[in-house]
Amino acid sequence: MQIIKDKQIINDNWTHVPDDAELKVGDITVSLARWKKDKQQLLHHDGKIGVRLEPSDSVDDIAENLGKFELIELNFPAFADGRTFSHAWLLRNRYQYKGEIRATGHYMPDQVFYLSRVGINAFNLEKTEDLPVALSTLNDFTVTYQNSTN
């Protein structure tokens, strides 16, 4: 799978494991519910661990565990739901999370610039053919009026 990370298109080997699936070896993300349920098992997982947050999840629920995650995926079930923008901002500003924050799900390539402004540094788009367009949007504006996390 290819994604945009740190303004480059790269190959990626992370896998999201659904709540009802067996854990796989390698770099995986799990839902917040699964993290809470299987935390002790996941801490001994053979590979890197990440968590996927839904818009209805609270960033506060993972605050004390941020150092354990190599990746936080922010899922966009619908492109019109802006709560995930707030999750990214909170992770970078309130909690000083320095790791990878990745947008995944249903969002448009032209939202990538705005997502990067709130702290998202990786983008998993639904269509691989949208990667070059999304990458180009990261350079759409050379002057900004508001502060940013980056």
Side-chain angles (χ1 to χ4, degrees):
M1 168 176 67
Q2 289 189 310
I3 65 166
I4 296 171
K5 181 177 177 185
D6 298 327
K7 298 185 178 185
Q8 297 178 34
I9 296 175
I10 64 162
N11 291 319
D12 183 71
N13 62 349
W14 284 86
T15 303
H16 179 71
V17 180
D19 288 350
D20 58 351
E22 229 179 280
L23 294 176
K24 301 176 181 184
V25 174
D27 302 341
I28 62 169
T29 62
V30 296
S31 70
L32 176 59
R34 184 145 193 192
W35 169 253
K36 288 178 177 181
K37 184 177 106 199
D38 297 334
K39 179 179 177 178
Q40 292 309 312
Q41 179 184 4
L42 289 163
L43 288 172
H44 300 292
H45 175 73
D46 186 18
K48 296 175 186 171
I49 294 292
V51 67
R52 178 179 285 187
L53 297 180
E54 299 295 328
S56 59
D57 291 334
S58 173
V59 174
D60 295 337
D61 288 344
I62 62 167
E64 66 185 40
N65 295 296
L66 286 175
K68 296 174 178 29
F69 302 126
E70 298 281 333
L71 167 64
I72 298 175
E73 284 185 316
L74 300 179
N75 190 37
F76 286 80
F79 79 90
D81 191 336
R83 293 177 288 178
T84 309
F85 281 83
S86 298
H87 288 348
W89 189 92
L90 288 168
L91 286 164
R92 291 289 189 221
N93 291 286
R94 180 179 293 169
Y95 297 110
Q96 302 300 302
Y97 181 72
K98 301 293 184 205
E100 180 179 338
I101 300 176
R102 181 182 299 181
T104 191
H106 304 290
Y107 61 96
M108 297 180 292
D110 62 350
Q111 290 178 299
V112 166
F113 174 79
Y114 302 104
L115 290 166
S116 73
R117 299 274 298 154
V118 294
I120 295 174
N121 65 321
F123 305 91
N124 179 10
L125 288 117
E126 291 182 301
K127 298 178 188 171
T128 304
E129 59 268 17
D130 288 340
L131 287 171
V133 171
L135 182 61
S136 73
T137 68
L138 290 171
N139 298 314
D140 274 354
F141 303 99
T142 58
V143 176
T144 56
Y145 297 101
Q146 298 88 15
N147 288 335
S148 164
T149 60
N150 56 12

